[in-house]
Amino acid sequence: MTITAGTPAPPAVRPYESYVYAYPHKTAYRPLEDRPSLRALWAAEPKDALSLYLHIPFCEVRCGFCNLFTRIGAPEELTTRYLDALERQADSVRDALGDEQPVRFAAAAFGGGTPTFLTAGELERLCDTAEKRMGADLGAVPLSVETSPATATADRLAVLADRGTTRISIGVQSFVDEEARAAVRPQRRADVEAALGRIRDARIPVLNIDLIYGIDGQTERSWLASLDAALAWRPEELYLYPLYVRPLTGLHRLGPAVTGPEARALEDAAWDEQRLRLYAVGRDHLLSHGYEQVSMRMFRRTDAPREQEGPEDYACQTDGMIGLGCGARSYTSALHYSFDYAVEMREIRSIIDRFTATEDFSRAEVGRYVDADEARRRHLLQSLLQAAGLPVADYRARFGTDPGADFPAELAGFAARGWLDASAPDGLLRLSPSGLAHSDALGPALFSPGVRAAMAAYERK
């Protein structure tokens, strides 16, 4: 597929607009006036390849960059009340799926928050919820679980290994203690290394390590030191994340280092340049050490066991997804839905309290309907942000149209910036190395006007 710009190169854009891990973003969701029943929503949906996601909204600490839906600690038996509510929700959702068609889960994940904030016994209960109430066979499908250095204890990891976990992802962010402190992530490298040792001892097939670049004071040398420390464990996957300072997070509350629009613009430009440089250093280092690039963020060891892998970054939105827990999303072909969303701790606590008190989970409360145009945008965005690219024939088979005809202006703009790979084989729409590096600008450029307006109107809380 050839796309030419035919116009002068457009003005430069900031490379770090937004990390697009789901579309539409939850800030585009709104309370659903019709509160549709889950039974009606799922009645005509395919149910033979669902993804299952269980959300645990608790952490032992909250990092300075974190804007996830999570709270610090769980006083007064809150985890027990939360798991009680999760079981009620699972029963309601499984009933809504019905038995008219076979219900099969092709992948499962526990996220958060930090799922391993739960005790070993509570993790057993979480697995029982997935298996005995939802019908997921955790021993037969890929199961990914997130953890942290402080909570990756031997007893918790033993439960996860015994229950079929195939992938564990640990947020390290930096092996340099000074950088961890700068990111408001209290940890010591010795504790991180000990946690990684326990994970390897548990023999879970796939280890993923998350690292962050763009931290204040980080240099190419210190970034390479973190990368080499991670590589010493030969992780099957590595995710390299650019640092963002988002509203209502700890780093945001610390305030900008400079004031005034001109000084702020210069600081932003310098930070963008730093992140782009460190991204390229990290990418090239991993490629030279036996890893392949799957997306801007994801790198996989080329000899990793493929049979243990779960879906790629975006696949949970290709088929249906069931999300359980107050921070989880669910996807049907026509509606994405969840519970309310917040970042500020007081609001999060209130939403968790409401979730634990809920008895009736039979209706969707908050979400956004997805029409045919949004479905096309979502598919193009999900596929194009992967290094492998989008086979145009797949898009045409799914929608009966061509992406070049559906999104001529957007794709021409990407081509003009050099973000599309002109050497890609015919019939493949693929990003160039520069395009992958600018994924966080390219993704938001594909948002629809309606989604943009809804996100802009969202009142942060």
Side-chain angles (χ1 to χ4, degrees), residues 290-347:
Y291 286 76
E292 61 180 335
Q293 187 168 19
V294 178
S295 68
M296 171 187 166
R297 287 166 170 75
M298 182 182 178
F299 294 81
R300 179 193 293 124
R301 212 178 73 209
T302 53
D303 63 345
R306 297 304 175 94
E307 68 273 9
Q308 303 291 353
E309 294 168 6
E312 304 291 11
D313 283 351
Y314 67 100
C316 65
Q317 291 193 78
T318 303
D319 298 304
M321 182 164 122
I322 297 292
L324 301 179
C326 59
R329 299 171 173 85
S330 295
Y331 306 125
T332 72
S333 59
L335 178 69
H336 292 189
Y337 63 93
S338 66
F339 291 88
D340 203 1
Y341 170 72
V343 175
E344 201 275 326
M345 189 61 66
R346 181 179 56 191
E347 295 287 347

Side-chain angles (χ1 to χ4, degrees), residues 192-221:
V192 172
E193 300 278 4
L196 288 166
R198 292 190 295 270
I199 291 171
R200 281 311 198 194
D201 289 344
R203 300 188 180 278
I204 293 170
V206 174
L207 165 64
N208 172 71
I209 298 176
D210 288 346
L211 297 175
I212 285 181
Y213 55 91
I215 300 170
D216 187 33
Q218 192 175 49
T219 64
E220 290 185 22
R221 183 175 180 178

Side-chain angles (χ1 to χ4, degrees), residues 51 72 95 118 121-122 161 176 209 270-271 280 307 311 451:
S51 293
I72 300 170
D95 179 68
L118 300 178
E122 289 171 333
V176 179
I209 298 176
W271 192 29
E307 68 273 9
V451 166

Side-chain angles (χ1 to χ4, degrees), residues 269-306:
W271 192 29
D272 287 346
E273 191 277 332
Q274 179 207 22
R275 286 181 287 180
L276 281 172
R277 183 178 69 254
L278 294 177
Y279 161 79
V281 167
R283 175 198 62 198
D284 294 347
H285 197 63
L286 295 186
L287 293 178
S288 70
H289 281 73
Y291 286 76
E292 61 180 335
Q293 187 168 19
V294 178
S295 68
M296 171 187 166
R297 287 166 170 75
M298 182 182 178
F299 294 81
R300 179 193 293 124
R301 212 178 73 209
T302 53
D303 63 345
R306 297 304 175 94

Side-chain angles (χ1 to χ4, degrees), residues 54-60 74 78-80 82-83 86 110-111 114-127 146-147 151-153 155-157 159-160:
L54 277 65
H55 178 255
I56 302 300
F58 307 113
C59 289
E60 75 277 9
L78 179 56
T79 56
T80 297
Y82 187 84
L83 292 173
L86 203 66
F110 302 159
T114 307
T116 49
F117 179 89
L118 300 178
T119 65
E122 289 171 333
L123 285 171
E124 290 276 17
R125 186 178 175 188
L126 187 69
C127 292
E146 297 173 7
T147 192
T151 62
T153 59
D155 59 337
R156 292 174 170 108
L157 293 169
V159 169
L160 295 177

Side-chain angles (χ1 to χ4, degrees), residues 14 256 258-269:
R14 292 200 64 186
V258 298
T259 58
E262 292 184 3
R264 184 63 181 164
L266 288 173
E267 185 181 72
D268 287 344

